[in-house]
Amino acid sequence: MNLNNASAEQLAELEEQLAGEYDAIKTQQLNLDLTRGKPSSEQLTLSNALDGILKGEYTTSSGVDCRNYGGLDGIPETQTIGASILGLPQENVLTGGNSSLTLMHQAMSVAHFFGLQGPGSAWSKEETVKFICPVPGYDRHYSVCEHLGIEMITVPMTAQGPHMDEVERLVATDSAIKGMWCVPKYSNPTGVIYSEDTVKRIAALGNTSAAKNFRIFWDNAYGVHDLSDQPVQLTSIWDACVAAGTENSVLQFASTSKITFAGAGVAFLGASETNLSGFKQSLGFMTIGPDKINQLRHAKFFEEEGSLRRHMKKHADIIKPRFACVLKHLETAFTDNDLGAWESANGGYFISFDTKPGLAKEVVKLAGEAGVKLTPAGATFPYGKDPSDCNIRIAPTVPSVEQVDAAMEVFVICVKLASVRQALNG
Ligand code: PLP
């Protein structure tokens, strides 16, 4: 279906045919959902053995009674897990509660209000504070900035990661830019893995930033969420920072939310001793210690060598067919035309789809009215505003393969219908 050379009559004919298909779908009163990236129940069930795993044994190998208060860093056993996911020494990892988003908000708040290197380093001392946000990106990162009154500067994502020429220029020239959000592996939503060159250039920013209190927020939420047996390896940001002498410029985050239980996992912060110490000074006012019992449960669950990798393979086996189903529909409908572009992620939780400019909102609306809920258009951009109104994030993990199949059939018709109507009116 190529609209570029179609006559007005052909377009009108196509519109009539697609509108007919669309109306027929509407009568089915579907109720399908491709919105938030959550694990399916089937995936959550993989970790049910966490429940009761301690069998009354609450003490860590170093003798800590996990039932009691204390231990701001978390237990050594989960620090080890965090260290292996984030790729830095165990002593540089703090393990917290169930959410890395909480840790990110806390770290951002500490850097903003109190400073990670003493009060003089607090971002809020200055009138304007800005953060670089690669787009499209993760909506909750933007919400954190909005919540703290931090202005967001967008930089486009490329197939190698954020557009680094642009990032380097901005960071070197504007001292109000205090940091940057990064989802370096299977980026939400594009699925991009940052290239080695990108990682090294990001690690070097700490040497060239106009701001002395510059921090990268490296959210490696999908670090072990591979769908392929031979995944591309992400270059270690820690090693790159050590080589560049910029260890203080990066804070790394991850969690087991999409490994074990999304609502009852363990979150990790990996950072230099300076940053951890600055963070803990404030954290100590917020809590006397994390849920160490849940941490111990996770330590036991992943005790065996290679168990995390084997566990993630089981996740992949469950969600791979859903991703394949989305891609099959997109390839069939849009390979020979320019009505849509997408990235075929080899991991993570999303597929990012671009309509022709100006159509994402309309597609989401059409799909919603036909019983297929999609993430609101614009959600992948700061302030919910996609300047080209083209990006739609597809999250296929929760519905069954049959439901994904039905939802994608609707999605494709909505994209075609919106595109034909635009061409007719345009
Ligand atoms: N970071 C990214 C990039 C995400 O996509 C998500 C969830 O979708 C999170 C963080 C949330 O992580 P957590 O459950 O650890 O708060």
Side-chain angles (χ1 to χ4, degrees), residues 155-178:
V155 163
M157 280 293 284
T158 73
Q160 275 73 47
H163 193 298
M164 285 311 295
D165 289 349
E166 185 66 2
V167 170
E168 285 164 348
R169 186 186 64 75
L170 287 164
V171 169
T173 51
D174 188 349
S175 64
I177 296 179
K178 299 302 180 191

Side-chain angles (χ1 to χ4, degrees), residues 183-405:
V183 183
K185 191 167 168 191
Y186 307 130
S187 200
N188 176 351
T190 59
V192 163
I193 300 179
Y194 290 14
S195 69
E196 182 178 352
D197 180 59
T198 299
V199 174
K200 288 183 173 165
R201 287 170 76 176
I202 289 175
L205 291 173
N207 286 328
T208 55
S209 59
K212 291 301 149 226
N213 44 4
F214 180 82
R215 295 290 186 280
I216 308 285
F217 277 56
W218 191 259
D219 177 5
N220 202 357
Y222 302 106
V224 291
H225 301 63
D226 305 305
L227 290 179
S228 133
D229 292 335
Q230 258 110 34
V232 174
Q233 292 302 313
L234 175 69
T235 302
S236 160
I237 186 78
W238 179 255
D239 291 351
C241 284
V242 169
T246 55
E247 295 96 313
N248 286 342
S249 69
V250 176
L251 290 103
Q252 297 192 63
F253 302 88
S255 77
T256 67
S257 289
K258 286 158 185 164
I259 296 175
T260 57
F261 292 155
V266 177
F268 310 105
L269 162 61
S272 68
E273 206 184 315
T274 304
N275 283 333
L276 279 184
S277 149
F279 179 68
K280 281 189 285 185
Q281 273 170 33
S282 286
L283 187 67
F285 290 103
M286 302 179 216
T287 178
I288 307 171
D291 176 351
K292 295 186 296 301
I293 292 206
N294 193 35
Q295 294 189 358
L296 191 60
R297 273 198 283 259
H298 279 75
K300 279 250 176 286
F301 192 67
F302 291 118
E303 200 167 39
E304 253 177 52
E305 176 80 25
S307 55
L308 178 61
R309 193 173 23 82
R310 287 195 294 278
H311 186 75
M312 292 317 291
K313 167 94 174 61
K314 292 183 199 160
H315 278 283
D317 289 344
I318 294 171
I319 63 178
K320 246 171 24 188
R322 291 156 166 85
F323 277 83
C325 180
V326 172
L327 294 174
K328 177 195 74 184
H329 279 278
L330 298 181
E331 279 156 19
T332 308
F334 305 120
T335 299
D336 65 349
N337 59 60
D338 63 353
L339 304 194
W342 65 97
E343 325 255 353
S344 71
N346 265 324
Y349 263 58
F350 305 102
I351 290 170
S352 175
F353 182 86
D354 283 334
T355 64
K356 280 169 149 310
L359 289 183
K361 276 203 184 90
E362 179 60 16
V363 169
V364 171
K365 181 168 154 271
L366 284 171
E369 286 167 2
V372 175
K373 237 197 241 168
L374 294 167
T375 306
T380 52
F381 283 73
Y383 314 108
K385 289 190 187 125
D386 174 357
S388 306
D389 184 27
C390 67
N391 188 249
I392 298 174
R393 187 182 79 170
I394 299 172
T397 52
V398 174
S400 65
V401 179
E402 293 70 29
Q403 288 169 330
V404 173
D405 198 38

